[in-house]
Amino acid sequence: MISIYNILTVARFEAKTLWRSWFYRIFSILSIAGIGFFDFGALSPVTWSPWAFQGVSSTIPYMNILMLNTAQAIIAVFLASDFLKRDKKLDTTEVVYMRSMTNTDYVVGKTLGLLMMFLLLNIVILLVGLVFNVFFTETTFTGIAYLIYPVVISIPTLIFILGFAFLMMVTIRNQAVTFIVLLGYIGLTLFFLGPKVHDVFDYMAFNIPLTYSGFTGFADTAHILVQRAIYLLLGLAFISMTIVMIRRLPQSRVMTGLARFLAIGCAALAVALIV
């Protein structure tokens, strides 16, 4: 059966490995610095800024998370697709493999570790925007916006792209080809398919109207929830399929069967929402 202890153990070691990665560190520093300069230019009294940044309190957290989400959706491809190759080449999970655990524990733990590190970066970026929002503008502070945007934008995107990258890696089993397929998909959705068919292909939420009003909320809450639920469910389906297909001793037929059931169920629900 599933073990919370094993999942947290794998997640902890994955988070530590990622924290020591200079690729992640450089990406984090560049993201914080770049978005910080953007906030300064948009809100500083010594620069000109559009009315939306001063007049709509949710604009800063929205733009910060949207820019970070676009970048992290691409970076997550490299980090997620690297996990199988890195484990074999560098033996980074010898301390994990020595434990008896199911594939569910292993894959969910890997996903949770990556998700935690990206969400930590989301929190730092929001704190940067909060400082500018409170000290550099006279705009009313809307705390709910700082909670909504990571949940609505970042989490569905990250779960989808991590699950997609895992599935491609265990299916293709070639990191270079996986990069090409995933980056091609990202480019296709970002520059061509994103705004088409009622934003169905927009997994980054780049084209969805997500400006939050303190008076009326979102312009179309139902559309937003359905669109984001599609990618959350697809991501969960891909992660479940990875659990079934990964080349490790499954340890538990029950958990493998449950993973198959979740993969089919989540994919079916996602398709139903699309239709």
Side-chain angles (χ1 to χ4, degrees):
M1 296 301 291
I2 195 167
S3 169
I4 301 299
Y5 176 76
N6 286 340
I7 290 173
L8 293 179
T9 299
V10 175
R12 185 170 70 253
F13 279 99
E14 182 67 18
K16 284 183 178 180
T17 302
L18 190 58
W19 178 255
R20 294 168 182 168
S21 166
W22 279 105
F23 186 67
Y24 175 80
R25 292 181 181 181
I26 292 171
F27 167 68
S28 300
I29 292 170
L30 291 177
S31 298
I32 294 168
I35 293 176
F37 278 119
F38 172 83
D39 290 347
F40 176 80
L43 298 174
S44 173
V46 299
T47 60
W48 177 86
S49 62
W51 173 87
F53 290 98
Q54 301 287 344
V56 182
S57 58
S58 66
T59 302
I60 284 299
Y62 175 36
M63 291 302 299
N64 282 12
I65 290 296
L66 189 64
M67 288 188 293
L68 177 63
N69 188 58
T70 305
Q72 72 185 3
I74 298 172
I75 298 301
V77 167
F78 293 91
L79 295 175
S81 60
D82 191 49
F83 88 103
L84 289 177
K85 180 181 178 181
R86 186 185 65 214
D87 290 351
K88 282 185 178 181
K89 185 177 180 180
L90 303 179
D91 291 333
T92 56
T93 52
E94 282 299 310
V95 70
V96 173
Y97 278 138
M98 67 182 291
R99 302 172 184 268
S100 177
M101 68 177 67
T102 65
N103 286 352
T104 302
D105 296 340
Y106 179 67
V107 175
V108 172
K110 283 280 188 180
T111 306
L112 183 60
L114 288 166
L115 196 60
M116 286 191 305
M117 296 307 295
F118 279 110
L119 289 180
L120 176 63
L121 182 57
N122 276 252
I123 291 172
V124 174
I125 291 297
L126 286 173
L127 289 175
V128 171
L130 187 148
V131 169
F132 280 98
N133 197 168
V134 172
F135 294 104
F136 288 90
T137 69
E138 297 180 358
T139 306
T140 304
F141 173 71
T142 306
I144 189 69
Y146 288 84
L147 299 175
I148 287 176
Y149 285 124
V151 174
V152 173
I153 297 177
S154 293
I155 291 178
T157 297
L158 284 171
I159 290 178
F160 171 76
I161 201 63
L162 291 176
F164 195 16
F166 289 163
L167 182 60
M168 288 295 99
M169 194 62 187
V170 298
T171 302
I172 300 173
R173 287 180 291 154
N174 184 295
Q175 192 177 29
V177 176
T178 300
F179 283 162
I180 294 172
V181 171
L182 292 175
L183 292 178
Y185 171 77
I186 290 173
L188 188 65
T189 56
L190 185 61
F191 298 109
F192 180 68
L193 293 177
K196 299 182 182 297
V197 198
H198 304 289
D199 307 313
V200 167
F201 298 100
D202 187 16
Y203 81 95
M204 293 186 192
F206 196 78
N207 299 285
I208 303 174
L210 282 170
T211 303
Y212 180 83
S213 168
F215 295 101
T216 61
F218 290 115
D220 191 348
T221 304
H223 173 68
I224 293 169
L225 292 178
V226 168
Q227 203 272 355
R228 302 316 290 155
I230 289 170
Y231 285 99
L232 180 62
L233 290 168
L234 285 176
L236 293 175
F238 293 156
I239 291 170
S240 299
M241 292 167 68
T242 302
I243 293 170
V244 175
M245 297 175 63
I246 190 171
R247 292 195 169 189
R248 284 184 75 250
L249 291 175
Q251 299 279 351
S252 173
R253 291 183 179 180
V254 173
M255 295 308 302
T256 302
L258 180 59
R260 287 195 180 97
F261 175 77
L262 287 175
I264 296 171
C266 289
L269 284 174
V271 171
L273 290 176
I274 292 173
V275 176

